[in-house]
Amino acid sequence: MQYKTSTGDEKQFRWSNECEPHKMRTREIINDHPEIRGLIGRNPYTFLVILLCIAVQIGLAIALKDAAWWLVVLAAYCIGAFACHTLFVCIHECAHNLLFKKRILNTLAGILANFPLVFPSSVSFQKYHLKHHAFQGVEAMDADMPFRWEAKLIDNSALGKAIWLLFYPIFQVMRPFRLTKEISLFDEWTVVNWVTQVAFMGGIIYFFGMHAATYLIASFFFSIGLHPLGARWIQEHFLTHGDEQETKSYYGRLNKVNLNVGYHNEHHDFPSIPWNKLPQIKKMASKHYDNLGYHTSYTALLFRFLFDKNLSVYSRTARTNRGKQKKETANISSKAIVNAGQAVL
Protein backbone atom coordinates (compact mmCIF):
# COMPACT_ATOMS: atom_id res chain seq x y z
CA MET A 1 0.00 0.00 0.00
CA GLN A 2 1.17 3.52 -0.71
CA TYR A 3 -0.69 4.86 2.35
CA LYS A 4 -0.57 3.65 5.90
CA THR A 5 -3.34 2.79 8.34
CA SER A 6 -3.27 3.93 11.93
CA THR A 7 -6.40 2.63 13.64
CA GLY A 8 -8.77 0.22 11.95
CA ASP A 9 -9.13 1.04 8.27
CA GLU A 10 -8.33 4.75 8.59
CA LYS A 11 -6.03 5.72 5.75
CA GLN A 12 -3.36 8.36 5.96
CA PHE A 13 -0.57 9.91 4.00
CA ARG A 14 2.86 8.38 4.45
CA TRP A 15 4.28 10.39 7.32
CA SER A 16 7.99 11.13 7.54
CA ASN A 17 10.14 12.60 10.28
CA GLU A 18 12.97 13.25 7.85
CA CYS A 19 13.77 16.46 6.00
CA GLU A 20 12.78 16.50 2.33
CA PRO A 21 15.50 14.79 0.26
CA HIS A 22 16.59 17.49 -2.16
CA LYS A 23 18.81 19.68 0.01
CA MET A 24 20.97 16.72 0.97
CA ARG A 25 21.31 15.56 -2.64
CA THR A 26 22.15 19.08 -3.80
CA ARG A 27 25.04 19.17 -1.34
CA GLU A 28 26.32 15.77 -2.48
CA ILE A 29 26.10 16.67 -6.17
CA ILE A 30 27.86 20.00 -5.73
CA ASN A 31 30.64 18.28 -3.82
CA ASP A 32 31.04 15.76 -6.66
CA HIS A 33 30.37 18.13 -9.57
CA PRO A 34 31.13 21.77 -8.71
CA GLU A 35 30.93 22.58 -12.45
CA ILE A 36 27.14 22.43 -12.16
CA ARG A 37 27.32 25.94 -10.69
CA GLY A 38 27.97 27.10 -14.25
CA LEU A 39 24.43 26.10 -15.26
CA ILE A 40 22.81 28.59 -12.89
CA GLY A 41 21.30 31.55 -14.72
CA ARG A 42 18.33 32.71 -16.76
CA ASN A 43 16.82 32.05 -20.17
CA PRO A 44 15.13 35.19 -21.56
CA TYR A 45 14.20 33.28 -24.74
CA THR A 46 11.46 31.62 -22.68
CA PHE A 47 9.55 34.86 -23.24
CA LEU A 48 9.38 34.01 -26.95
CA VAL A 49 7.78 30.67 -26.04
CA ILE A 50 5.17 32.60 -24.07
CA LEU A 51 4.39 34.81 -27.07
CA LEU A 52 4.18 31.79 -29.40
CA CYS A 53 1.76 29.88 -27.15
CA ILE A 54 -0.41 32.95 -26.63
CA ALA A 55 -0.57 33.47 -30.39
CA VAL A 56 -1.53 29.82 -30.93
CA GLN A 57 -4.33 29.96 -28.35
CA ILE A 58 -5.79 33.28 -29.44
CA GLY A 59 -5.49 32.34 -33.11
CA LEU A 60 -7.29 29.02 -32.61
CA ALA A 61 -9.94 30.62 -30.39
CA ILE A 62 -10.73 33.08 -33.18
CA ALA A 63 -10.59 30.42 -35.89
CA LEU A 64 -13.04 28.20 -33.95
CA LYS A 65 -15.51 30.91 -32.95
CA ASP A 66 -18.09 29.62 -35.48
CA ALA A 67 -17.07 25.95 -35.43
CA ALA A 68 -19.12 23.00 -34.18
CA TRP A 69 -18.85 22.30 -30.46
CA TRP A 70 -17.26 18.89 -30.99
CA LEU A 71 -14.51 20.48 -33.08
CA VAL A 72 -13.87 23.08 -30.39
CA VAL A 73 -13.48 20.35 -27.75
CA LEU A 74 -11.30 18.18 -30.02
CA ALA A 75 -8.97 21.07 -30.82
CA ALA A 76 -8.74 21.92 -27.13
CA TYR A 77 -7.79 18.33 -26.26
CA CYS A 78 -5.29 17.78 -29.08
CA ILE A 79 -3.70 21.24 -29.38
CA GLY A 80 -4.87 23.68 -26.74
CA ALA A 81 -3.98 21.44 -23.81
CA PHE A 82 -0.35 21.31 -24.91
CA ALA A 83 -0.10 25.07 -25.47
CA CYS A 84 -1.67 25.74 -22.08
CA HIS A 85 0.57 23.25 -20.32
CA THR A 86 3.63 24.91 -21.84
CA LEU A 87 2.35 28.26 -20.57
CA PHE A 88 2.06 26.74 -17.10
CA VAL A 89 5.70 25.72 -17.33
CA CYS A 90 6.62 29.26 -18.41
CA ILE A 91 4.74 30.66 -15.40
CA HIS A 92 6.71 28.21 -13.28
CA GLU A 93 9.96 29.58 -14.74
CA CYS A 94 8.76 33.13 -14.00
CA ALA A 95 8.04 32.12 -10.39
CA HIS A 96 11.71 31.18 -10.03
CA ASN A 97 12.88 34.41 -11.75
CA LEU A 98 14.48 32.36 -14.51
CA LEU A 99 13.62 34.68 -17.43
CA PHE A 100 14.86 38.12 -16.43
CA LYS A 101 17.09 39.61 -13.75
CA LYS A 102 14.43 41.92 -12.33
CA ARG A 103 11.65 40.21 -10.40
CA ILE A 104 9.04 42.66 -11.68
CA LEU A 105 9.73 41.61 -15.29
CA ASN A 106 9.29 37.95 -14.37
CA THR A 107 6.04 38.78 -12.60
CA LEU A 108 4.74 40.70 -15.62
CA ALA A 109 5.79 37.88 -17.97
CA GLY A 110 3.90 35.40 -15.78
CA ILE A 111 0.77 37.57 -15.84
CA LEU A 112 1.01 37.75 -19.64
CA ALA A 113 1.44 33.95 -19.91
CA ASN A 114 -1.65 33.59 -17.72
CA PHE A 115 -4.00 35.24 -20.27
CA PRO A 116 -4.99 32.13 -22.31
CA LEU A 117 -5.33 30.12 -19.06
CA VAL A 118 -8.68 31.77 -18.30
CA PHE A 119 -8.36 32.02 -14.52
CA PRO A 120 -5.90 34.36 -12.73
CA SER A 121 -3.27 32.24 -11.01
CA SER A 122 0.23 33.37 -11.97
CA VAL A 123 0.93 35.66 -9.02
CA SER A 124 -0.58 33.28 -6.48
CA PHE A 125 1.38 30.37 -7.95
CA GLN A 126 4.59 32.34 -7.54
CA LYS A 127 3.97 32.81 -3.82
CA TYR A 128 2.87 29.27 -3.03
CA HIS A 129 5.26 27.40 -5.28
CA LEU A 130 8.38 28.78 -3.61
CA LYS A 131 7.00 27.56 -0.29
CA HIS A 132 6.50 24.13 -1.88
CA HIS A 133 10.23 23.99 -2.57
CA ALA A 134 11.20 25.09 0.92
CA PHE A 135 8.63 22.98 2.79
CA GLN A 136 7.84 19.99 0.59
CA GLY A 137 5.14 17.85 2.19
CA VAL A 138 4.48 20.19 5.14
CA GLU A 139 0.71 20.55 5.12
CA ALA A 140 0.68 24.03 6.67
CA MET A 141 3.12 25.40 4.06
CA ASP A 142 2.89 23.28 0.89
CA ALA A 143 -0.14 24.05 -1.29
CA ASP A 144 0.79 21.07 -3.48
CA MET A 145 -0.23 18.71 -0.67
CA PRO A 146 -3.86 17.52 -0.89
CA PHE A 147 -6.23 18.14 2.00
CA ARG A 148 -6.86 15.13 4.21
CA TRP A 149 -10.59 15.43 3.47
CA GLU A 150 -9.71 15.60 -0.25
CA ALA A 151 -7.82 12.31 -0.04
CA LYS A 152 -10.59 10.71 2.01
CA LEU A 153 -13.27 11.90 -0.42
CA ILE A 154 -11.53 10.56 -3.53
CA ASP A 155 -9.72 7.57 -1.99
CA ASN A 156 -8.73 4.96 -4.61
CA SER A 157 -11.82 4.44 -6.78
CA ALA A 158 -11.27 4.86 -10.52
CA LEU A 159 -14.30 7.13 -10.87
CA GLY A 160 -13.26 9.26 -7.91
CA LYS A 161 -9.73 9.69 -9.23
CA ALA A 162 -11.06 10.57 -12.70
CA ILE A 163 -13.31 13.25 -11.19
CA TRP A 164 -10.40 14.50 -9.08
CA LEU A 165 -8.22 14.95 -12.17
CA LEU A 166 -11.03 16.51 -14.20
CA PHE A 167 -11.64 19.13 -11.53
CA TYR A 168 -8.07 19.33 -10.28
CA PRO A 169 -7.92 23.14 -10.71
CA ILE A 170 -10.85 23.51 -8.30
CA PHE A 171 -9.09 21.48 -5.62
CA GLN A 172 -5.94 23.55 -6.17
CA VAL A 173 -7.85 26.80 -5.71
CA MET A 174 -9.03 25.70 -2.26
CA ARG A 175 -5.64 24.67 -0.88
CA PRO A 176 -4.14 28.18 -0.38
CA PHE A 177 -6.82 28.89 2.22
CA ARG A 178 -4.96 26.38 4.40
CA LEU A 179 -1.89 28.65 4.28
CA THR A 180 -3.48 31.98 5.18
CA LYS A 181 -1.59 32.15 8.49
CA GLU A 182 1.67 32.14 6.54
CA ILE A 183 0.84 33.77 3.19
CA SER A 184 -1.58 36.58 2.41
CA LEU A 185 -4.14 35.57 -0.22
CA PHE A 186 -4.21 39.02 -1.82
CA ASP A 187 -1.67 41.72 -2.50
CA GLU A 188 -1.21 44.43 -5.14
CA TRP A 189 0.13 42.06 -7.78
CA THR A 190 -2.69 39.61 -7.17
CA VAL A 191 -5.14 42.40 -7.92
CA VAL A 192 -3.25 43.27 -11.12
CA ASN A 193 -3.38 39.60 -12.13
CA TRP A 194 -7.14 39.43 -11.54
CA VAL A 195 -8.01 42.73 -13.22
CA THR A 196 -5.99 42.07 -16.37
CA GLN A 197 -7.24 38.49 -16.61
CA VAL A 198 -10.88 39.53 -16.32
CA ALA A 199 -10.30 42.22 -18.97
CA PHE A 200 -8.69 39.68 -21.32
CA MET A 201 -11.45 37.10 -20.99
CA GLY A 202 -14.10 39.80 -21.23
CA GLY A 203 -12.52 40.95 -24.49
CA ILE A 204 -12.47 37.40 -25.88
CA ILE A 205 -16.17 36.91 -25.13
CA TYR A 206 -17.19 40.37 -26.34
CA PHE A 207 -15.33 40.28 -29.65
CA PHE A 208 -15.33 36.57 -30.51
CA GLY A 209 -18.17 34.96 -28.56
CA MET A 210 -18.60 31.97 -26.26
CA HIS A 211 -17.18 29.43 -28.71
CA ALA A 212 -13.81 31.15 -28.49
CA ALA A 213 -14.02 31.34 -24.70
CA THR A 214 -15.11 27.69 -24.51
CA TYR A 215 -12.03 26.65 -26.48
CA LEU A 216 -9.78 28.41 -23.95
CA ILE A 217 -11.68 26.99 -20.97
CA ALA A 218 -11.57 23.43 -22.34
CA SER A 219 -7.87 23.80 -23.17
CA PHE A 220 -7.20 24.90 -19.61
CA PHE A 221 -9.04 22.01 -17.95
CA PHE A 222 -7.53 19.41 -20.27
CA SER A 223 -4.02 20.79 -19.77
CA ILE A 224 -3.96 19.94 -16.07
CA GLY A 225 -6.84 17.50 -15.73
CA LEU A 226 -8.19 14.30 -17.26
CA HIS A 227 -5.59 14.14 -20.04
CA PRO A 228 -2.19 12.43 -20.36
CA LEU A 229 -0.63 15.79 -19.42
CA GLY A 230 -2.57 15.65 -16.16
CA ALA A 231 -0.46 12.66 -15.15
CA ARG A 232 2.33 15.15 -14.48
CA TRP A 233 0.77 15.87 -11.08
CA ILE A 234 0.98 12.16 -10.26
CA GLN A 235 4.51 11.86 -11.62
CA GLU A 236 6.02 14.63 -9.55
CA HIS A 237 5.35 13.64 -5.93
CA PHE A 238 3.10 10.57 -5.73
CA LEU A 239 4.52 7.32 -4.36
CA THR A 240 4.22 5.30 -7.53
CA HIS A 241 7.11 2.84 -7.27
CA GLY A 242 6.27 0.94 -4.10
CA ASP A 243 8.98 2.80 -2.19
CA GLU A 244 9.52 5.97 -0.20
CA GLN A 245 10.91 8.12 -3.02
CA GLU A 246 8.68 11.18 -2.90
CA THR A 247 9.87 13.00 -6.05
CA LYS A 248 10.16 11.39 -9.46
CA SER A 249 11.17 12.61 -12.89
CA TYR A 250 9.66 11.93 -16.29
CA TYR A 251 12.05 11.19 -19.17
CA GLY A 252 9.61 10.89 -22.06
CA ARG A 253 9.09 12.59 -25.41
CA LEU A 254 6.67 15.20 -24.09
CA ASN A 255 9.56 16.97 -22.39
CA LYS A 256 10.28 18.50 -25.80
CA VAL A 257 6.98 20.44 -25.82
CA ASN A 258 6.76 20.81 -22.02
CA LEU A 259 10.14 22.56 -21.67
CA ASN A 260 11.74 19.68 -19.76
CA VAL A 261 9.30 20.01 -16.88
CA GLY A 262 9.57 16.25 -16.41
CA TYR A 263 13.07 16.67 -14.96
CA HIS A 264 11.52 17.20 -11.56
CA ASN A 265 14.17 15.74 -9.28
CA GLU A 266 16.74 17.81 -11.11
CA HIS A 267 14.60 20.93 -10.76
CA HIS A 268 14.02 20.45 -7.03
CA ASP A 269 17.72 19.83 -6.50
CA PHE A 270 18.67 22.95 -8.50
CA PRO A 271 15.71 25.37 -8.76
CA SER A 272 18.01 28.17 -9.94
CA ILE A 273 18.81 26.41 -13.23
CA PRO A 274 16.46 27.15 -16.19
CA TRP A 275 14.50 24.50 -18.06
CA ASN A 276 16.82 24.25 -21.08
CA LYS A 277 19.74 23.12 -18.90
CA LEU A 278 17.98 20.57 -16.71
CA PRO A 279 19.01 17.57 -18.89
CA GLN A 280 22.64 18.64 -18.40
CA ILE A 281 22.27 18.19 -14.64
CA LYS A 282 21.25 14.56 -15.14
CA LYS A 283 24.10 14.02 -17.60
CA MET A 284 26.74 15.57 -15.32
CA ALA A 285 25.54 13.85 -12.15
CA SER A 286 24.15 10.64 -13.64
CA LYS A 287 25.21 8.43 -10.72
CA HIS A 288 22.95 10.47 -8.43
CA TYR A 289 19.89 10.05 -10.68
CA ASP A 290 20.24 6.72 -12.49
CA ASN A 291 19.25 4.75 -9.39
CA LEU A 292 16.06 6.77 -8.79
CA GLY A 293 12.61 5.70 -9.92
CA TYR A 294 11.24 7.61 -12.92
CA HIS A 295 8.48 7.57 -15.55
CA THR A 296 8.66 7.42 -19.35
CA SER A 297 4.96 7.58 -20.33
CA TYR A 298 2.30 9.98 -19.09
CA THR A 299 -0.42 7.92 -20.76
CA ALA A 300 0.64 4.72 -18.99
CA LEU A 301 0.89 6.59 -15.68
CA LEU A 302 -2.56 8.14 -16.15
CA PHE A 303 -4.24 4.74 -16.63
CA ARG A 304 -2.24 3.19 -13.83
CA PHE A 305 -3.29 5.94 -11.43
CA LEU A 306 -6.93 5.56 -12.40
CA PHE A 307 -7.15 1.77 -12.12
CA ASP A 308 -4.45 0.74 -9.62
CA LYS A 309 -6.18 0.32 -6.25
CA ASN A 310 -2.84 0.75 -4.49
CA LEU A 311 -2.62 4.33 -5.72
CA SER A 312 -4.82 7.02 -4.28
CA VAL A 313 -4.70 10.67 -3.28
CA TYR A 314 -3.24 9.36 -0.03
CA SER A 315 -0.12 8.23 -1.94
CA ARG A 316 1.94 11.22 -0.81
CA THR A 317 4.62 11.85 1.81
CA ALA A 318 3.65 14.37 4.48
CA ARG A 319 5.73 15.90 7.26
CA THR A 320 5.25 18.44 10.03
CA ASN A 321 8.83 19.33 11.04
CA ARG A 322 9.17 22.80 9.55
CA GLY A 323 12.06 23.64 11.86
CA LYS A 324 14.15 20.78 10.56
CA GLN A 325 13.43 21.88 7.01
CA LYS A 326 14.79 25.34 7.75
CA LYS A 327 17.83 23.98 9.57
CA GLU A 328 18.69 21.57 6.77
CA THR A 329 18.40 24.36 4.20
CA ALA A 330 20.75 26.54 6.20
CA ASN A 331 23.32 23.76 6.51
CA ILE A 332 24.00 23.26 2.78
CA SER A 333 27.76 23.45 2.60
CA SER A 334 28.29 25.13 -0.72
CA LYS A 335 27.96 28.87 -0.18
CA ALA A 336 28.39 29.46 -3.89
CA ILE A 337 25.29 27.48 -4.83
CA VAL A 338 23.25 29.07 -2.05
CA ASN A 339 24.27 32.60 -2.95
CA ALA A 340 23.73 32.04 -6.65
CA GLY A 341 20.38 30.40 -6.03
CA GLN A 342 19.22 33.28 -3.85
CA ALA A 343 20.26 35.72 -6.53
CA VAL A 344 18.02 34.00 -9.04
CA LEU A 345 15.13 33.36 -6.64
Side-chain angles (χ1 to χ4, degrees):
M1 287 289 190
Q2 304 297 337
Y3 45 75
K4 72 174 185 178
T5 58
S6 55
T7 58
D9 293 326
E10 181 185 355
K11 297 170 185 174
Q12 297 183 15
F13 299 117
R14 172 191 170 266
W15 285 88
S16 172
N17 292 320
E18 300 298 321
C19 177
E20 58 87 16
H22 300 288
K23 303 298 187 298
M24 181 69 70
R25 189 161 57 234
T26 300
R27 180 171 58 200
E28 293 174 354
I29 293 174
I30 286 297
N31 286 337
D32 291 346
H33 302 278
E35 68 274 14
I36 282 182
R37 296 190 193 97
L39 300 179
I40 294 173
R42 299 175 179 85
N43 182 4
Y45 294 106
T46 304
F47 189 70
L48 298 180
V49 178
I50 292 175
L51 295 180
L52 174 62
C53 290
I54 291 175
V56 168
Q57 285 302 87
I58 294 178
L60 282 173
I62 295 172
L64 293 166
K65 64 185 181 67
D66 297 317
W69 286 106
W70 68 267
L71 186 58
V72 172
V73 174
L74 182 63
Y77 194 89
C78 296
I79 302 174
F82 293 93
C84 282
H85 201 88
T86 300
L87 285 170
F88 274 116
V89 181
C90 291
I91 289 174
H92 172 264
E93 294 289 293
C94 292
H96 286 284
N97 287 346
L98 293 177
L99 274 68
F100 307 111
K101 185 175 182 179
K102 293 185 177 180
R103 177 179 289 275
I104 188 173
L105 294 180
N106 289 281
T107 300
L108 290 171
I111 291 173
L112 180 66
N114 198 159
F115 283 172
L117 303 180
V118 183
F119 303 101
S121 60
S122 174
V123 173
S124 297
F125 176 82
Q126 176 177 304
K127 293 187 292 185
Y128 297 114
H129 182 68
L130 297 182
K131 292 294 185 182
H132 164 64
H133 274 266
F135 300 98
Q136 179 176 311
V138 178
E139 290 180 294
M141 298 295 292
D142 185 359
D144 190 65
M145 276 294 296
F147 284 103
R148 300 187 198 189
W149 64 259
E150 183 182 336
K152 183 177 181 180
L153 176 67
I154 303 303
D155 202 4
N156 63 354
S157 75
L159 178 60
K161 288 184 282 188
I163 293 173
W164 182 74
L165 280 175
L166 183 62
F167 295 105
Y168 187 70
I170 296 175
F171 288 102
Q172 281 187 313
V173 165
M174 291 186 284
R175 292 175 190 167
F177 288 94
R178 189 178 63 206
L179 282 67
T180 52
K181 291 183 179 180
E182 304 284 348
I183 305 173
S184 175
L185 282 175
F186 291 97
D187 56 27
E188 293 178 353
W189 281 111
T190 305
V191 173
V192 172
N193 193 183
W194 276 76
V195 170
T196 55
Q197 190 66 41
V198 169
F200 173 81
M201 287 305 300
I204 289 291
I205 295 171
Y206 180 80
F207 290 107
F208 307 114
M210 279 307 301
H211 267 53
T214 299
Y215 167 75
L216 295 179
I217 294 170
S219 296
F220 166 78
F221 274 94
F222 286 141
S223 69
I224 57 174
L226 195 57
H227 187 285
L229 291 171
R232 173 188 158 197
W233 314 116
I234 312 305
Q235 164 243 311
E236 291 183 343
H237 295 296
F238 275 68
L239 303 175
T240 54
H241 281 60
D243 56 21
E244 298 181 354
Q245 182 188 323
E246 56 190 277
T247 304
K248 294 179 178 66
S249 291
Y250 160 80
Y251 301 130
R253 288 177 289 184
L254 287 181
N255 275 322
K256 295 185 183 299
V257 295
N258 286 343
L259 307 187
N260 294 325
V261 74
Y263 287 81
H264 205 58
N265 267 310
E266 294 82 353
H267 168 65
H268 265 268
D269 292 346
F270 298 95
S272 301
I273 294 177
W275 65 269
N276 56 306
K277 296 182 179 179
L278 292 179
Q280 295 180 53
I281 299 174
K282 184 176 186 300
K283 184 176 181 181
M284 289 180 178
S286 58
K287 74 174 185 178
H288 293 273
Y289 295 107
D290 288 348
N291 64 338
L292 298 178
Y294 61 90
H295 297 279
T296 58
S297 170
Y298 278 150
T299 302
L301 178 58
L302 174 65
F303 281 100
R304 182 185 166 202
F305 175 70
L306 291 175
F307 298 109
D308 187 342
K309 291 292 186 179
N310 288 326
L311 286 177
S312 76
V313 182
Y314 281 110
S315 300
R316 293 287 301 261
T317 296
R319 50 177 53 84
T320 58
N321 52 343
R322 286 193 291 174
K324 190 172 183 179
Q325 299 274 83
K326 293 179 180 178
K327 181 179 179 181
E328 189 68 25
T329 300
N331 286 338
I332 295 179
S333 60
S334 175
K335 291 184 179 180
I337 199 73
V338 171
N339 293 337
Q342 289 175 343
V344 175
L345 290 174

